[in-house]
Amino acid sequence: MRWTRRLRLCTAGVVAASALFAAPVTARAAEPSDAQLTGLVNPFIGTENEGNTYPGAAVPFGMVQFSPDTGHNTGYDYSQNHIRGFSLVHLSGVGCGLGGDLPVLPTTGDVTQTDYARYAAEFSHDDETASPGYYEVGLKTGIRAELTATRRTGVQRYTFPATDKANVLLNAAQSLHTGVSSTVEILDNRTVRTAITGRGFCQDTKPYTVYTITRFDRPFTAYGTWDGPTVTSGSRTGRDGAYVRFDTTKDRTVEATTALSYVDAHGAAVNLRAEGGRSFDAVRRGAERAWEDRLDDVRVKGGDDSLRRTFYSSLYRSFLAPNIGSDADGRYTGWDQRIHRTDGFTYYQNWSLWDTYRTQSQLLSLLAPREARDMAISVIKISEESGWLPKWGYGTVETNIMTGDPVTPFLTNAYQQGLLKGYEERAYRALKRNADGVPPADSPALGREADKEYIAEGFAPYIKGRPHVKPGDSDYDHGASATLEYALSDAMLARMARDLGHPGDAARYAARAQSYRNIFDPSTGFFRARDASGAFTGPADPAQSEGFHEGTSWQYQWLVPQDLPGMVSLIGGEQAANARLDSFFAYDQLLADPARTAREVWVNGPYDYYNADKYNPQNEPDLIAPYTYLSTGQPWKTTDVVHAALTLFTDTPTGMTGNDDLGTMSAWNVLSSIGIFPVQPGYDTWGLSTPVFDRVDLTLDRRYYPHGALSISAPGTSGTDRYIQSARTDGKAYDRTYLTTGGLRSLRSLSFTVGPHPSEWGTSALAAPHALK
């Protein structure tokens, strides 16, 4: 299925609104019997209203994401109508400019402009299509551009009008990040090589270098390079860019393959030899097969067409990152900036850990455990080669974006899912060092920046206006939320330490996991930042609180998954907790009109993080919050809130809830739609809620799931019949609101009976997930 403007004429207006209010998220429709699942994916979802996704061509976890850039700081914006170039590197849903390396654009006529904002080509969505692994657009210059990809190459095909001045511009100096330096070389009459050094992601970072080599399918008739605004025809070397020219008076089509490497020019050439040499159509078919194989591991029955498109589009985005970082010969650039070689694994990079540790890493552990294992090993390698674990890593460098300690639950999740066989102690050593110390001044990493105070005093202080000692975010700017995240990580590390036979460490980390209590202010009944002296600071109103990263005390109060009973006790018990949850979710309004409450009452601006006392489904701190009801004796309310939040995901360009953050929001949608969700990130607990499909069949890796499959069913689930009446595991009655990974692995089927009213299912004192002690 191709997506065009004709299918999406009113993306943010009447059509979207009527779809939300006329058809509930669980509306049912017949399943197409023989349709390819790639045909249900709309890559344009999230390309408008700061979802910051991209519509271009990639394969699962590929090094290359070949996509158009329109002028938005993260790449493509659906509301814009000029393309500056098709560049090689994009990340799905990041909040700041990153990537955009080597934008390439076909033109005709003389080359007189070197700024891609000036030579950008106009286009219309009426003449633009995309599907997994493929992108096509007709430019108003009369040129048609098509893109596809392999794991380490981007393949392009341009169909020009009949002319003897058909050009391809390769712009090395301009990108989405901050350029440091670049070089361009025309090696022969078919080949162009570049080296591009850049830096930055929200703030400046250490520089990194990307190497490319582009091989065309026929000789140039002319070429040249440019430095700044000066174009020199016939020049083979330049600083900023190059153009190559073809005569298309008879043969109007030009194809080229561009290979990428983060190691060196030789690595790019190795990748070109390994993955190049095939026609555009052959590469496109291979990319489509790769995506079909990946999507086919999840087969759903029931749900209307819009729901299914939204679901499979989210599943697609969940597999876009992290990205391969090693070349075809196994070499990669480590965070020590030295060249290393893999030994029995693929090296991955690009770590939005503050986001992905909550949803996407668990989804990958379930559906892509082989890749998830290699990803975890890659993170261990970062520690061993650079000295410290990452926080938010891009390519070969640390950016230090976001706060807390997200790498710990990322790695302990991998451990709990059985993905670290042979690496357990290596991972534990890295995590212990990270948890007990702070990187030195000469390390680019910030790590647990406020760890000294946290260990000594039991909290990370909020020190307003403290100068940043390194580029990136500072835990001292967000001391309250950093305390909560350190404590969460300590709980997960305590369980790993206990399992591995380190009882002293386990007891120490378990005690530190209770540090969340140290920032609870009894006078307000909420968590609150404390300054360096230990005094509570900032406004007492929890909706106006300070010291929380991208959120308020209202939104962070539920981020104690390691000890929800303890947190509930602090705020007065289950009755008080449920009253506060009901207020937080505007529950009475939600029951009357779920979709409207989600869009008008909850916090819904993509960067609207503060001054709120309501649920923010568009940002990471609240992703687990709807599942809190599983621990307060009212599990049916989890389904109510989750299904209302799911209405925010639609099959339009505005159909993303906030930034996708490398698949985080997409994975939330996938997991919540199938009825299992990681309620204790970093551990192996999966909370249960009503699926939105009648049946979901998962194909699983037999090395981790002996049965090789799991069926999750809820016959008749709908917008009205959404409440679990009973649950069965392999036909046996099951009354708990959670499963462990071990429990999932033993199952062939998980089935729910649903009805129009809440029931007693899951309400007993023993039904809730356990606190981690």
Side-chain angles (χ1 to χ4, degrees), residues 562-579:
Q562 73 273 22
D563 187 20
L564 279 178
M567 184 275 292
V568 167
S569 177
L570 279 180
I571 61 177
E574 283 190 1
Q575 184 174 354
N578 282 323

Side-chain angles (χ1 to χ4, degrees), residues 448-511:
R448 286 194 185 193
E449 186 185 16
D451 214 20
K452 180 179 179 181
E453 296 90 339
Y454 171 79
I455 293 171
E457 307 296 335
F459 63 90
Y462 167 50
I463 306 177
K464 193 171 185 177
R466 182 181 184 274
H468 288 202
V469 298
K470 297 178 183 179
D473 290 309
S474 172
D475 288 351
Y476 292 107
D477 289 342
H478 312 282
S481 58
T483 299
L484 294 173
E485 300 214 45
Y486 289 4
L488 183 160
S489 294
D490 281 338
M492 304 309 162
L493 188 53
R495 296 305 297 236
M496 184 177 182
R498 183 177 303 171
D499 291 347
L500 293 177
H502 304 289
D505 287 349
R508 183 163 54 89
Y509 292 132

Side-chain angles (χ1 to χ4, degrees), residues 352 355-356 359-360 620 623 660-668:
S352 184
D355 311 290
T356 59
T359 59
Q360 195 240 11
E620 280 70 18
L623 292 183
D660 196 30
D661 290 316
L662 275 69
T664 299
M665 295 298 177
S666 292
W668 188 94

Side-chain angles (χ1 to χ4, degrees), residues 104-283:
V104 177
L105 191 72
T107 68
T108 58
D110 294 328
V111 178
T112 59
Q113 296 287 349
T114 62
D115 180 352
Y116 64 3
R118 292 180 175 272
Y119 64 65
E122 188 177 0
F123 75 105
S124 167
H125 297 304
D126 290 331
D127 201 8
E128 184 185 37
T129 64
S131 60
Y134 178 72
Y135 174 86
E136 178 185 14
V137 65
L139 304 176
K140 292 196 173 180
T141 55
I143 303 168
R144 180 157 299 278
E146 298 172 88
L147 312 176
T148 189
T150 70
R151 292 194 297 175
R152 299 177 179 88
T153 74
V155 184
Q156 54 213 283
R157 178 164 64 191
Y158 304 123
T159 303
F160 289 92
T163 178
D164 61 357
K165 290 184 178 181
N167 313 306
V168 178
L169 310 185
L170 299 94
N171 192 330
Q174 293 183 287
S175 60
L176 301 175
H177 58 68
T178 302
V180 174
S181 64
S182 57
T183 60
V184 182
E185 301 173 84
I186 298 177
L187 300 182
D188 56 39
N189 64 357
R190 293 188 185 207
T191 313
V192 181
R193 183 168 66 189
T194 73
I196 301 166
T197 299
R199 69 186 333 148
F201 171 44
C202 298
Q203 301 181 45
D204 274 346
T205 63
K206 289 186 65 176
Y208 54 89
T209 301
V210 175
Y211 302 87
T212 79
I213 187 166
T214 303
R215 179 75 171 173
F216 289 83
D217 68 340
R218 56 171 159 147
F220 318 140
T221 58
Y223 54 82
T225 65
W226 68 79
D227 295 337
T230 303
V231 180
T232 306
S233 63
S235 170
R236 287 185 173 272
T237 61
R239 184 180 70 241
D240 294 340
Y243 73 90
V244 295
R245 178 167 293 164
F246 304 90
D247 186 337
T248 58
T249 53
K250 294 182 179 179
D251 182 356
R252 295 175 53 197
T253 301
V254 174
E255 294 187 12
T257 300
T258 302
L260 186 66
S261 171
Y262 288 85
V263 178
D264 53 24
H266 173 72
V270 166
N271 293 339
L272 183 63
R273 286 196 299 271
E275 300 184 16
R278 291 186 292 159
S279 70
F280 182 94
D281 289 330
V283 173

Side-chain angles (χ1 to χ4, degrees), residues 73 102 115 240 246 272 287 313 329 368 380 543 547 634:
N73 72 313
L102 195 64
D115 180 352
D240 294 340
F246 304 90
L272 183 63
S313 298
D329 61 3
I380 296 169
Q634 297 184 336

